[in-house]
Amino acid sequence: MKHKIYRHLLFWLTYSIQGTLLEYAWIHDFFPPEREAYVVILAILFNLLLVSVKMSFSYYLMQFPVNNLLIRKNAMVKVILQIVLALLLAIFFYRLANVYVISPLLKPEKVVGISDIVNPSGLFIALLDIGYISGIAVALKLFRMQVLNLKTEQFLIKDKLETELKFLKNQINPHFLFNTLNNIYGLARKKSDQAPEVVLRLSKLLRFMLYESHRETISIAEEIRILEDYLELEKIRYDNRLKISFRKEIDDHHQMITPLILLPFIENAFKHGLNETTGESQIEIHITLKKGQLNFQTSNTQDYSGENIINEKIGLSNIRRQLELMYKEFSLELENFPKTFNVSLKINLNSHGTL
């Protein structure tokens, strides 16, 4: 409210200075040079008198007809009628000030009457003068309303996308937790000595998911540690059945990345690859990062005799949507062959998406 008052005061002060200069230019020829100070005072008074009429009409126009038309959606004919009546009233008071205050001070010898109020040229000048400043005032109001509406719309869109992103993350994390708990359950049934180590590693992952994964970004080093912890859990579960190759070529370990954006691809390799494969299985993971350009590739063995059709289930489809929200420049390619399933993900980590 304080800033609003300052804006309005600045607007009318600027216009008053302009109006005073115009009044001075118009009346200074009516008086001799030695009465210069008196002319300046008259110019200020004349301007203030006329500005009061123009200000009253402008604020009425912005407060009622414009609001009725834009906010309350009143009938346009009714709004136009309100504007015309208010304008006629403003012109009437404008002419009263000119005829009975300004004119007698400039030309005391002239006799004025009611007919001077409705003088056509005087009415036209009043219309132009009032319409000029009120038009600027309304235009500025409409511009500010448009800017505020755009800001509100952008805020709502951003809030909606952030809510969607949180929803997508919440769908992925329980899925990962469910798979890991299954691992622990399998080890517990076999009374494996490795069960405590799995629980410890799981606790580290849960701590990250609870306290870190909701950050907008983490370092690539942290993301890789999560991947390594997950792979260690799976190695314990699959034992000698599984061969894992994890290669990393990172030029900047402090490069920021969206948390848990890579893990679902590895998780998918175990869930739909190794779990459905008999015999020895293999997973190859290769991460390359150079000047913000991330190249992430996975390949897992599978037993598949159907067509090379890829159905993106909830995990992969959610990750694709997260990528769309977080990064402008990325590509995700999936290849489904009879013996292997390949993922190739490229991201410009320095490009920022919708959020």
Side-chain angles (χ1 to χ4, degrees):
M1 189 64 188
K2 185 178 179 181
H3 291 164
K4 182 178 180 180
I5 293 173
Y6 287 156
R7 285 197 306 269
H8 285 239
L9 287 176
L10 179 62
F11 174 79
W12 290 110
L13 177 62
T14 303
Y15 177 71
S16 294
I17 292 173
Q18 177 196 9
T20 299
L21 293 175
L22 291 174
E23 291 290 340
Y24 173 81
W26 176 55
I27 68 174
H28 81 281
D29 288 336
F30 288 88
F31 300 92
E34 59 268 18
R35 302 197 65 186
E36 188 71 19
Y38 179 68
V39 174
V40 173
I41 293 173
L42 281 184
I44 295 173
L45 293 176
F46 291 171
N47 174 71
L48 291 177
L49 181 63
L50 297 179
V51 162
S52 63
V53 177
K54 291 179 272 192
M55 185 184 295
S56 300
F57 174 72
S58 297
Y59 280 112
Y60 170 80
L61 190 62
M62 290 186 289
Q63 187 63 34
F64 296 103
V66 172
N67 282 350
N68 288 341
L69 189 61
L70 298 179
I71 299 175
R72 298 179 190 141
K73 308 297 184 184
N74 285 23
M76 185 172 291
V77 175
K78 181 180 178 181
V79 172
I80 292 175
L81 184 61
Q82 290 175 340
I83 294 174
V84 170
L85 291 176
L87 180 58
L88 291 175
L89 189 62
I91 290 174
F92 175 72
F93 282 109
Y94 185 99
R95 291 301 298 151
L96 278 180
N98 266 286
V99 171
Y100 290 103
V101 178
I102 296 175
S103 185
L105 288 173
L106 296 178
K107 301 176 181 178
E109 70 283 357
K110 182 181 178 182
V111 179
V112 295
I114 298 296
S115 59
D116 293 304
I117 295 177
V118 293
N119 178 274
S121 61
L123 293 174
F124 182 70
I125 291 173
L127 176 63
L128 291 180
D129 200 9
I130 295 172
Y132 165 71
I133 190 58
S134 61
I136 293 177
V138 170
L140 288 174
K141 177 183 175 68
L142 294 177
F143 175 75
R144 281 191 56 78
M145 289 177 66
Q146 182 68 15
V147 170
L148 291 174
N149 287 338
L150 287 174
K151 286 183 178 179
T152 302
E153 183 180 352
Q154 290 173 352
F155 172 79
L156 292 175
I157 291 173
K158 188 174 187 295
D159 186 62
K160 176 180 177 295
L161 293 176
E162 287 177 348
T163 302
E164 181 185 358
L165 185 60
K166 290 177 183 177
F167 174 73
L168 293 172
K169 285 184 177 182
N170 289 335
Q171 281 185 307
I172 292 171
N173 290 349
H175 182 233
F176 160 73
L177 177 60
F178 177 76
N179 287 344
T180 308
L181 288 175
N182 270 346
N183 295 351
I184 296 174
Y185 175 73
L187 293 172
R189 288 200 58 174
K190 293 188 293 184
K191 297 181 181 180
S192 172
D193 294 336
Q194 294 176 317
E197 182 182 350
V198 174
V199 173
L200 181 61
R201 289 186 179 277
L202 177 60
S203 68
K204 289 173 59 180
L205 291 174
L206 288 177
R207 189 178 299 111
F208 177 86
M209 290 164 58
L210 287 173
Y211 300 110
E212 304 295 335
S213 65
H214 295 293
R215 288 156 53 189
E216 185 176 339
T217 58
I218 60 173
S219 69
I220 188 69
E222 292 177 277
E223 180 78 1
I224 289 175
R225 278 198 297 270
I226 294 301
L227 300 183
E228 291 173 336
D229 284 339
Y230 181 81
L231 290 173
E232 288 301 319
L233 286 173
E234 295 293 6
K235 283 180 182 179
I236 294 172
R237 178 185 177 191
Y238 287 97
D239 201 17
N240 295 328
R241 271 191 62 203
L242 174 63
K243 289 185 178 179
I244 296 178
S245 171
F246 190 9
R247 293 181 295 149
K248 304 173 285 290
E249 299 175 36
I250 310 297
D251 68 346
D252 182 7
H253 291 274
H254 299 288
Q255 174 70 51
M256 306 307 286
I257 187 173
T258 301
L260 301 179
I261 201 73
L262 303 178
L263 179 61
F265 296 109
I266 298 178
E267 181 186 2
N268 186 75
F270 283 96
K271 182 179 178 183
H272 300 292
L274 299 183
N275 288 352
E276 300 170 6
T277 303
T278 59
E280 189 176 282
S281 301
Q282 183 172 345
I283 292 180
E284 295 182 359
I285 305 165
H286 187 196
I287 298 179
T288 303
L289 177 64
K290 187 175 182 180
K291 296 182 180 180
Q293 302 295 323
L294 177 73
N295 191 341
F296 174 77
Q297 296 175 324
T298 67
S299 177
N300 62 270
T301 55
Q302 65 174 0
D303 291 336
Y304 182 69
S305 58
E307 299 179 6
N308 295 344
I309 298 174
I310 299 174
N311 294 318
E312 290 193 15
K313 298 183 180 180
I314 186 169
L316 292 178
S317 62
N318 284 353
I319 285 297
R320 186 182 290 276
R321 180 56 181 156
Q322 282 195 62
L323 289 167
E324 291 172 355
L325 293 174
M326 298 305 299
Y327 297 105
K328 286 183 180 179
E329 300 176 20
F330 80 93
S331 66
L332 175 60
E333 297 179 3
L334 309 176
E335 296 177 324
N336 191 17
F337 298 117
K339 295 298 181 181
T340 60
F341 185 88
N342 302 325
V343 173
S344 178
L345 172 64
K346 297 179 181 179
I347 310 175
N348 178 3
L349 296 179
N350 296 321
S351 67
H352 300 288
T354 308
L355 291 179

